[in-house]
Amino acid sequence: MSPRRVRAESDAVGRQDRPLRITVDGEPVDGVEGQTLAGVLLAADRLAWRRGRSGAPRGVFCGIGVCFDCLVTVGEDRDVRACRRRARDGDEVTTQSRAPGGLVDRNEPTPPPTEK
Amino acid sequence: MTHRDIVVVGAGPAGLAAAEGALAAGARVTLIDSADQPGGQYHRMLPEAYEATRPEALQHGWTAFQRRLRRVRGHPDCAWWSESSVWALERPDPAPDRDSDLDRDPDRDSDPDRDREQPRPPRVHVLRGPADGSGRRRTTLEPDALVLAVGAHDRVLPFPGWELPGVFTAGAAQALAKGERVVVGDRAVIAGTGPFLLPVAASLLEAGAQVLEVLEANTPRTVARGWSQRPWQLAAQAGKSGELAEYTALLLRHRVPYRTGRTVVEARGDGRVEEVVTARLRPDWSVVPGSERTLAVDAVCVTHGFSPQLELPVAAGCALRGTLGGEFVAVDDDQATSRPGVYAAGEITGVAGAPAARAEGALAGWRAAGGDPDTAAVRRLRRSRDQGRAFAERLARAHPIGAAWPGWLRPETVVCRCEEADYASLCRAAADPAGSAARVAKLATRAGLGPCQARVCGPTVAELNARLSGAPADREAEGLPVPAPHRRPLAQPIRLGELAAAPQPPHQP
């Protein structure tokens, strides 16, 4: 099976779900308010959305903003850590790839600035 | 010395206690965290939008935490800065022609005599706004003292297939389940070493996942020997032990096997994890041949201990100390670091869990604010902190990383996830006498040069390189600066537009 959100009706924390909708490469994806973009994507059964240098698929690894595996473009903002950014209704998310000649290589991240 | 300005970075158990301690000593406090809610990883809260009526269902020590939170956030002298990232610490520089030390040569940084005349802590550069957004507000704080309580993240050793989607750090699985009620899979295996395996298993079970196995890589003998030394110290950590006992009971109730001396040595799948290979390990973590078993899974959660987030302490110039479990910030009896006005608390000083982090934080905050060093309460905090430290040492002994773990690597195993540098490339670099110095190896393999800036692979690459080349990890290469593994002058990403925008005064609404 796959990642999913605990059903609100049976959730021990007693929560309210307010739906929101984002688009991912133009396709609508439904989530609930308060989720991170990574949470929305995972719960919609998208385990991977970024491609590494070899083209290998990547999604969430560390979940707390350390590994940068889950980077996406949100609107005009490139390289947003999906695990740290709360989704907002209407967010336009574009996936990124570091593969040379990959489908979306316009999103090749700029080289990190801190190494000489 | 009344009304000192204290900046606390990190609002987990240590940072929150530091804020409380500093406020109690009469200071003004700015409490900064990158998340939108306080609590850190340990007390990770549900989003406000969930309007949870029973949030305590997922928390330990919720009442005490809420009480502390109210005292801190409700205090008139406390400014709570959520969604705020400290992207740089700028040390006071005696040279008149410089106003920034962001590009300073690390050799100069290590000169202990440089800032003897400069007792002030570093300037704190903050970005305020949604994570990795553009147009966040840039501002600078100049506190009288700084408390760093930035915490740690999972250390994960590489194994074949660990880069497949569906392989998560244990912390990720925990954060998603606890923080937004997303469960990472339905058939999960949890593997690695340390007591953190248990709360992660508990979180997944609570969220309705099937946990097939919890695998502790260390053998029962190693674990028992580590925990049973000086057992009287354990009594002081009764809260922690009780929490662990609860998790163990939960595993029993769900009939989840907890196996020792076994781990995941490979993850396989087409585009996502579909199965794992587990194997029995000897005490040094070498694989027992023929003990491999294959198991169908859709999620793997791994942790091999914790890496402290050291970029801010290193930027502040704090000395580190080497321990069994790796490098941590060195602190004195009052949680003061080697730099004047800079204090440290929580997992960056040693991984000892939330109770110890709270004691360290309270002590750091109180002393940073100039509180009396010799009251009964302070002595109690020191005792509690010392018990925490003893607990940390015991933990490190019971759950070490076995020296033979590289035995499960293959030439094509990815070691640096960002740059996809494989084990073979590290071996090649190490075999070349010029290439074996850490700096050269890094440039030759690109390991550690990707977006995460070696936060994930750094300790692993350093260890492998030292072993493969037989040279110490900090060996110098001619013409290159000495390796400085935790040096990240930009502690968090900042966009050029934000850097170019004029800084704004700190305390406007």
Side-chain angles (χ1 to χ4, degrees), chain A residues 4 36 54 69 78 114, chain B residues 180 186 417 420 453 495:
Chain A
R4 62 192 148 70
T36 60
S54 67
D69 257 11
R78 267 168 35 171
T114 52
Chain B
E180 52 183 301
D186 278 320
R417 300 173 62 89
E420 298 179 288
Q453 291 285 286
R495 295 182 192 276

Side-chain angles (χ1 to χ4, degrees), chain B residues 215-375:
Chain B
L215 303 176
E216 161 63 56
N218 281 297
T219 59
R221 195 144 169 252
T222 308
V223 175
R225 211 167 36 208
W227 284 110
S228 63
Q229 275 171 4
R230 288 165 292 183
W232 60 89
Q233 290 170 348
L234 206 55
Q237 294 286 324
K240 207 76 210 161
S241 312
E243 191 184 322
L244 293 178
E246 255 176 66
Y247 299 139
T248 312
L250 188 74
L251 291 196
L252 281 173
R253 207 156 62 237
H254 286 265
R255 297 171 195 281
V256 178
Y258 176 84
R259 301 187 206 284
T260 47
R262 194 165 192 94
T263 202
V264 169
V265 293
E266 184 180 359
R268 297 173 181 160
D270 183 11
R272 64 190 287 174
V273 66
E274 289 160 353
E275 62 180 31
V276 289
V277 179
T278 72
R280 199 141 64 74
L281 299 182
R282 299 191 187 96
D284 67 353
W285 291 20
S286 54
V287 171
V288 175
S291 67
E292 293 87 350
R293 277 205 304 246
T294 307
L295 195 63
V297 299
D298 63 4
V300 187
C301 309
V302 196
T303 179
H304 296 104
F306 292 96
S307 295
Q309 313 216 81
L310 292 176
E311 49 270 351
L312 291 181
V314 166
C318 303
L320 305 181
R321 67 185 176 103
T323 73
L324 205 60
E327 277 190 310
F328 294 91
V329 179
V331 288
D332 72 4
D333 207 34
D334 285 339
Q335 301 298 124
T337 70
S338 63
R339 301 300 298 183
V342 182
Y343 293 73
E347 312 285 57
I348 56 171
T349 68
V351 175
R358 279 194 292 268
E360 290 164 2
L363 190 54
W366 174 260
R367 293 294 293 131
D372 185 342
D374 201 28
T375 66

Side-chain angles (χ1 to χ4, degrees), chain A residues 1-18 20 31-74 76-88 96 98-100 108-116, chain B residues 34-37 41 44-55 57-58 83 85 102-103 130-134 136 152-154 156 162-169 171-173 175-176 179-186 206-210 271-273 298 309 414 416-420 439 442-443 446 448-453 455-456 487-490 492-493 495:
Chain A
M1 283 292 293
S2 53
R4 62 192 148 70
R5 210 165 43 240
V6 176
R7 289 159 56 91
E9 310 84 76
S10 55
D11 195 332
V13 304
R15 65 169 213 265
Q16 295 289 318
D17 278 359
R18 280 201 298 270
L20 60 74
V32 302
E33 263 184 54
Q35 279 189 293
T36 60
L37 288 171
V40 170
L41 289 166
L42 283 172
D45 197 19
R46 291 178 181 236
L47 204 56
W49 47 84
R50 181 168 163 266
R51 291 193 177 271
R53 288 164 67 93
S54 67
R58 294 293 175 88
V60 172
F61 178 60
C62 82
I64 59 170
V66 172
C67 77
F68 294 72
D69 257 11
C70 67
L71 296 180
V72 292
T73 299
V74 183
E76 298 289 302
D77 294 345
R78 267 168 35 171
D79 300 344
V80 173
R81 283 167 282 183
C83 69
R84 292 201 40 209
R85 172 68 77 87
R86 298 264 186 229
R88 282 180 315 188
Q96 298 187 176
R98 290 187 75 197
E108 168 73 16
T110 45
T114 52
E115 283 292 333
K116 309 234 163 56
Chain B
S34 54
D36 51 7
Q37 298 194 86
Q41 304 305 333
R44 181 177 277 265
M45 297 210 277
L46 292 162
E48 270 172 24
Y50 278 21
E51 293 178 17
T53 51
R54 293 181 298 278
L58 304 177
E83 291 194 298
S85 302
L102 292 178
D103 51 4
D132 300 333
S134 54
R136 289 169 292 179
H153 56 82
D154 287 283
V156 177
W162 73 311
E163 73 282 11
L164 280 173
V167 179
F168 300 89
T169 69
L176 285 160
E180 52 183 301
R181 310 304 285 145
V182 168
V183 52
V184 292
D186 278 320
E206 187 280 333
Q210 196 189 344
R272 64 190 287 174
V273 66
D298 63 4
Q309 313 216 81
V414 167
C416 163
R417 300 173 62 89
C418 294
E419 296 305 294
E420 298 179 288
R439 287 270 177 189
K442 196 161 159 181
L443 295 172
R446 294 198 53 80
L449 290 180
C452 98
Q453 291 285 286
R455 285 176 173 89
V456 177
R487 218 176 94 81
R488 296 180 192 99
L490 297 184
Q492 285 293 320
R495 295 182 192 276

